Structure formats: structure tokens, C-alpha cells
């Protein structure tokens, strides 16, 4: 096994821990997440469909920016 693989796994685990803690402690401030204009909501009798299209795009842009910054400076 490659020793650097362990470092990457520990880094990913630490990142997940930090993100989870932020969501846990600041969830009342993130109420807009998942309710952006452009998210698809269909409600009918006995049927409901929800697809957070714009939320997925925004999160993808944010994650790509974070990954770009990490790769640029490390």
C-alpha cells in the first residue's frame, strides 16, 4: 500500500468532519439551501417530485472552486 493514500484518506475524513460540524451548528443559517429559484418542485394528489437543480449547480461550483484552490496552493 502507498503511505500517501493514508494521508489522503485522513484528509478527506477530516474535511468531512469539518463540513458535518458546520452543517450541524449552522443549519438554521442554511435554510435557503435546497429552496433556490430553479429547483424543480411538482406536487399533485398522492405524488410529489423534487429535484434541486440550481442547488446542485451552486454546490458543484463551490466544490470545484475549493478543489481548484487546494490543488493550486498545495
Amino acid at each position: 500500500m502507498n503511505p500517501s493514500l493514508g494521508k489522503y484518506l485522513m484528509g478527506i475524513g477530516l474535511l468531512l468532519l469539518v463540513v458535518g460540524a458546520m452543517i450541524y451548528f449552522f443549519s438554521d443559517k442554511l435554510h435557503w439551501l435546497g429552496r433556490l429559484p430553479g429547483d424543480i418542485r411538482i406536487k399533485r394528489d398522492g405524488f410529489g417530485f423534487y429535484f434541486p437543480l440550481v442547488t446542485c449547480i451552486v454546490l458543484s461550483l463551490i466544490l470545484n472552486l475549493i478543489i481548484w484552490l487546494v490543488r493550486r496552493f498545495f
Side-chain angles (χ1 to χ4, degrees):
M1 286 224 114
N2 192 352
S4 64
L5 177 65
K7 289 180 185 179
Y8 286 126
L9 288 174
M10 286 175 56
I12 291 170
L14 183 62
L15 180 67
L16 286 173
L17 180 71
V18 169
V19 169
M22 287 175 53
I23 289 172
Y24 180 77
F25 289 114
F26 299 111
S27 63
D28 57 337
K29 308 265 191 284
L30 297 173
H31 61 86
W32 55 269
L33 193 62
R35 295 185 181 115
L36 295 174
D39 290 346
I40 299 169
R41 263 184 235 120
I42 301 171
K43 279 191 170 185
R44 297 188 180 151
D45 294 335
F47 176 75
F49 177 76
Y50 176 70
F51 185 72
L53 182 66
V54 175
T55 301
C56 289
I57 292 171
V58 169
L59 289 177
S60 175
L61 289 173
I62 291 170
L63 287 174
N64 278 316
L65 177 66
I66 291 170
I67 290 170
W68 179 79
L69 287 171
V70 167
R71 291 184 80 189
R72 176 146 171 93
F73 294 110
F74 295 106

